[in-house]
Amino acid sequence: MQNNRNKTEVLSISMPKDLTRQIRRFAQESETTVSQVAKTAIKSYLLRRQWKRVQDSYAPVFKKLGIKTDEDVEKYFG
């Protein structure tokens, strides 16, 4: 079985002190770790960026089909 340490890496970042305080407060209120808050936020950001690229690449097709909103996508493909 592979050690979990082989699957993780420490990433050091700099950010404004006010943002750091907000993140620490949010983590405490959410009963989670600062690391988990950061991982969740970064994953969410990357997913939104990927989804935006997909939307942009399919925009001409969506336009032809009259799809303008996420709700339209759900109605058409859902």
Side-chain angles (χ1 to χ4, degrees):
M1 188 167 161
Q2 192 174 17
N3 187 334
N4 215 15
R5 290 179 185 241
N6 294 332
K7 296 179 182 180
T8 63
E9 186 174 336
V10 174
L11 176 65
S12 178
I13 61 171
S14 297
M15 62 181 62
K17 288 182 181 182
D18 184 53
L19 182 56
T20 302
R21 282 192 292 271
Q22 289 178 51
I23 293 168
R24 289 183 194 281
R25 190 176 323 119
F26 180 82
Q28 187 176 18
E29 290 169 358
S30 301
E31 298 180 353
T32 190
T33 64
V34 169
S35 182
Q36 189 59 46
V37 170
K39 284 186 271 191
T40 301
I42 292 167
K43 285 178 184 179
S44 177
Y45 174 80
L46 293 174
L47 184 61
R48 283 193 316 271
R49 292 283 308 253
Q50 290 170 341
W51 177 238
K52 177 76 171 111
R53 279 190 226 120
V54 168
Q55 287 176 316
D56 290 348
S57 65
Y58 283 97
V61 174
F62 288 168
K63 187 174 181 177
K64 271 187 173 180
L65 295 173
I67 297 172
K68 297 176 183 172
T69 66
D70 290 342
E71 290 79 20
D72 292 341
V73 171
E74 183 66 29
K75 288 178 194 171
Y76 197 88
F77 297 104

